Structures are given as C-alpha cells and as structure tokens.
Amino acid sequence: MNFIDLRSDTVTEPTKTMRDAMYNAKVGDDVYGDDPTVNELENFAAKLVGKESALFVPSGTFGNQLSLFTHCKRGDEVILGEDSHILMHEVGAPAIIAGVQLRALKTNKGILNPIDIKNTIRGEDIHFPDTGLICVENAYSNGKVIPLSNMKDIYNLAKNNNLPVHLDGARLFNAASYLKVPAKEITKYCDSVMFCLSKGLCAPVGSILAGNKDFIKKARKKRKIMGGGLRQAGILAAAGLIALQDMPKHLEDDHNKALLLGKKLCEIPGINVKLDDIDINMVFFKINNTNYDMNSLSKHLYDRGIKINGPENGFMRFVTHYWITIEHIDYITACIKEALG
Ligand SMILES: Cc1ncc(COP(=O)(O)O)c(C=O)c1O
C-alpha cells in the first residue's frame, strides 16, 4: 500500500530528478576534499545563506550538535528556548558531545525575549560557567515563523556581549517562503546556521552547517571526530543540490495545503485546531473529548492507508509535504470524520 504519510516532512522520498542525479553523480573521497559534487553543494549552500563556507553533514541533529561542539568549550553555557529542538528532541546530545550546559528560557510560541537573554548572560564570577553561545530556531518546531525583528534584536545583543549566535534552521526555507525573503535575509542574524536538505526539500539524507571560513575549518575537523567524515558522499550531495536549487519554490504549496487541512479539520465537531499557528506546513490540533482513545484514531487511519504520529503534550501534529495532494486532504478529513462520528 502507498501510505499517505502525515508524520513529518522527513518522510519525503527523493524525486525522480534527484534519483537520476544521484545515479550520475561525479564522486571522490570527500575526507580528502576530492568529491566534486560535495564541493559544489557546499559552495552553493554557503552562497545561498550569505556565509563564507559550508559543510555537508549527515543530519540536522548532527549539524546542530557539531555547531555547539565547535563554538563552545566544555562546561560553557548555551542559552536557548526551553521548547527548542536542540533541548527537547536531540537526546541530550549537548551534554554528551560538546559537554555544555543548557540554560533554557521560556518562549512565547518560540519567540525568545531579548531582555530574558540579556539577564541570563553570565558575568565574571569564580562560580559561574561562561556563556558560550545563544541558539535560535526558525522556523520553530511548533510550526511558527520567528519575526526578523526578534532575530535582529537577539543578534545585536549577542554582538554587544561578544557571543556567537547559532540558528537551527532545519526548516529555514519554509521560514523564508513564509516571510517572502531570500534565506540570507534570515541568516544575516546568525554566525552559524544548520539547515536540512532532507525535510520538505525531499533529499534523502543530509544537512548543511554554514558559517565563516575559520568556523567551518574547525567544524570539518570536529565532524571527523563525530564520525561524520563521509567518503563518496557526492551520491547524496547530488540530491542535495536539487533540493536547494529546485525545491524551495514548492514550499509555499506545502504551507497552503497545511492551511487547507487545518480549515477542513476545523469543520469537524470535537476538534480544536491551532489555526492561527499555521505559518508553515504543520497543523496542530486536539480532540476535545479527553477520554477519546488516540490509539484508536491512529489505527483507524492506518487501516485506511494514513500514517500519523501519536499526540505530544495532548496535541496531534500533521505535516504536509511534497507528496501530499489536495485529494489526500479531502480523504484524510473524511476518514477522521468517520473515526470521530
Ligand atoms: C527544528 C529542528 N531542528 C533539528 C532537527 C533535526 O533534524 P534531523 O532529524 O535531520 O536530525 C529537526 C528535525 O525534525 C527539527 O525539526
């Protein structure tokens, strides 16, 4: 059965053009710097986000953690949102890889208050760790896009305090599409950025970490420590290039499909959709009846060819992407109506 998969945009399989490019990719040993396709991808990616240099890494988590590992020394404190992906969904890696301590701040749907950050930056005291890094995220994993003005305020504050800013831009191009700006208008407010090729952009594997030359030189060595020195990675980079060149233009459709799905779910009695929070391709909703067995919904949909994740903090998340069609949306809502009816 060909499932309709709403669990994430990470489920996107590569397009035919990507598969052809992968088959035909020129490759070499990338640890020696010999892979022309990886080199092309890294140069293209760096320019796209207005940075001097870029590095191909296996995943978003890898890129974020490599960034912490490169910016910070052991024992440093990293300031970030308490609901950020780096804190919530990266398996506690900052303690294991970079050996840093996380200082979590409350966010307003992903928006960090610069005053809170200012009050959290450590002064000089024999008892204190050093503040090593501020991490921001855009688009946020709650599906919201953070305004550029907030990113600018945080970046200026960081510069006044001699601190670097890392952007978790797993869905950077979704944010750029929503804000209707080129990606580099967002990344000018960070020193390093990680963005994923393998989410809504459909590449099978890979993310990029970008920053200045010195940072990426250090990160390249630390990537080797982390076991991320790949060999004929051009096979993957070939799909990554298409992800960056051809796929961002489709993201607006994904966002429109999410809004349509959200509106249709709103019409079903007993469902509470966070309609105002649909900035990108994510729809969050709750079933009002707290006794309703969510596992039975998952099973009902699975039996009808639809895959979903279970709830997190009481909310379901449906994610639209390249392989979800308008017809799927009608079918999904009909199946849910049937389940709740
Ligand atoms: C905001 C954010 N950052 C980082 C990641 C990690 O990416 P990966 O799954 O490639 O490790 C994700 C994954 O969904 C994400 O949503």
Side-chain angles (χ1 to χ4, degrees):
M1 182 191 280
N2 258 345
F3 277 92
I4 299 169
D5 201 333
L6 293 168
R7 291 174 299 173
S8 177
D9 45 10
T10 56
V11 301
T12 46
E13 292 183 5
T15 61
K16 165 92 171 52
T17 323
M18 284 178 180
R19 287 178 190 270
D20 290 346
M22 291 170 80
Y23 182 79
N24 292 311
K26 289 203 174 70
V27 295
D29 188 329
D30 182 48
V31 174
Y32 289 104
D34 281 354
D35 191 304
T37 315
V38 172
N39 293 341
E40 189 184 343
L41 171 67
E42 291 179 345
N43 289 334
F44 186 85
K47 281 202 189 82
L48 199 59
V49 294
K51 300 292 175 206
E52 286 174 3
S53 204
L55 191 64
F56 183 61
V57 293
S59 70
T61 301
F62 195 112
N64 280 336
Q65 297 305 324
L66 178 58
S67 180
L68 267 59
F69 193 25
T70 308
H71 280 297
C72 301
K73 62 184 188 315
R74 291 180 84 76
D76 274 358
E77 194 163 72
V78 174
I79 300 174
L80 77 185
E82 65 174 7
D83 42 8
S84 62
H85 195 277
I86 292 177
L87 191 152
M88 287 300 290
H89 289 114
E90 299 192 6
V91 213
I96 302 167
I97 299 170
V100 293
Q101 158 166 307
L102 299 182
R103 190 88 180 275
L105 298 181
K106 287 214 174 319
T107 72
N108 177 9
K109 293 189 178 176
I111 298 178
L112 284 158
N113 184 340
I115 295 170
D116 293 344
I117 297 179
K118 189 164 181 231
N119 293 336
T120 308
I121 295 171
R122 300 284 189 164
E124 193 43 53
D125 185 303
I126 195 168
H127 303 93
F128 289 170
D130 292 329
T131 303
L133 178 67
I134 299 169
C135 290
V136 294
E137 186 175 312
N138 208 2
Y140 219 70
S141 26
N142 61 6
K144 293 294 290 173
V145 172
I146 307 302
L148 286 179
S149 57
N150 179 254
M151 290 194 65
K152 184 178 179 186
D153 289 347
I154 294 172
Y155 188 66
N156 288 342
L157 172 70
K159 294 303 106 184
N160 290 338
N161 287 275
N162 248 335
L163 286 172
V165 174
H166 171 70
L167 168 62
D168 175 349
R171 294 183 183 80
L172 173 68
F173 296 95
N174 295 81
S177 166
Y178 175 81
L179 292 169
K180 301 201 185 311
V181 296
K184 55 175 128 173
E185 280 302 305
I186 304 177
T187 50
K188 71 184 185 192
Y189 300 122
C190 66
D191 299 287
S192 61
V193 55
M194 180 286 292
F195 53 93
C196 294
L197 307 169
S198 60
K199 298 200 160 60
L201 302 181
C202 290
V205 176
S207 293
I208 296 287
L209 180 64
N212 71 26
K213 271 201 183 109
D214 183 49
F215 174 82
I216 293 299
K217 189 171 170 215
K218 285 185 192 144
R220 192 176 290 280
K221 191 148 184 181
K222 297 220 165 183
R223 180 183 71 171
K224 193 78 178 78
I225 295 177
M226 288 168 66
L230 304 176
R231 302 295 177 175
Q232 286 75 34
I235 300 270
L236 301 171
L241 268 165
I242 293 168
L244 293 182
Q245 287 164 350
D246 293 353
M247 301 308 281
K249 61 175 179 273
H250 297 290
L251 295 175
E252 195 180 350
D253 291 342
D254 295 352
H255 302 176
N256 290 337
K257 285 181 273 185
L259 199 56
L260 179 67
L261 177 59
K263 285 182 179 161
K264 288 199 170 252
L265 289 175
C266 274
E267 290 166 9
I268 304 175
I271 293 195
N272 184 355
V273 184
K274 289 187 174 184
L275 204 55
D276 291 341
D277 288 354
I278 304 177
D279 287 352
I280 56 167
N281 59 341
M282 295 178 183
V283 184
F284 289 85
F285 66 93
K286 232 181 189 160
I287 310 279
N288 293 336
N289 177 358
T290 46
N291 292 325
Y292 185 80
D293 175 14
M294 297 304 250
N295 289 331
S296 75
L297 179 65
S298 300
K299 181 167 181 334
H300 178 91
L301 294 180
Y302 188 88
D303 289 345
R304 283 154 187 76
I306 302 167
K307 287 189 190 177
I308 62 168
N309 277 330
E312 193 171 322
N313 301 324
F315 279 91
M316 303 293 291
R317 184 191 76 164
F318 284 180
V319 185
T320 56
H321 50 75
Y322 188 74
W323 299 108
I324 301 284
T325 64
I326 301 283
E327 292 73 39
H328 289 157
I329 291 172
D330 287 332
Y331 177 66
I332 294 159
T333 38
C335 291
I336 294 180
K337 217 180 245 172
E338 182 188 38
L340 298 184

